[in-house]
Amino acid sequence: MTITLNGSARDLAVGTTVAGLIESVTGTTRGSAVVVDGEVLPRAQWATYELRPGQSVELITAVQGG
């Protein structure tokens, strides 16, 4: 299936959860926030929320630096 992640198309396996997506992109779920179809998705739902084809996901990660 295909979703839009931060403005770019991304192919995922059917049944991919938000937590699985974040871990595949960043290696961890720490320091991240997720918006799915314009709505902030609470962290408590990440492990069980399965993404659907055509959804738009914005992944925001905290970055250290100065």
Side-chain angles (χ1 to χ4, degrees), residues 3-64:
I3 65 163
T4 301
L5 175 62
N6 294 346
S8 299
R10 184 172 186 111
D11 290 324
L12 302 175
V14 173
T16 298
T17 63
V18 168
L21 173 64
I22 296 169
E23 288 174 355
S24 74
V25 172
T26 67
T28 182
T29 58
R30 293 183 52 129
S32 296
V34 178
V35 177
V36 178
D37 292 335
E39 299 288 329
V40 174
L41 189 67
R43 183 177 297 271
Q45 295 179 13
W46 292 2
T48 57
Y49 188 97
E50 290 186 8
L51 294 163
R52 296 182 306 275
Q55 284 189 302
S56 177
V57 179
E58 293 294 324
L59 174 57
I60 302 149
T61 56
V63 178
Q64 276 188 309

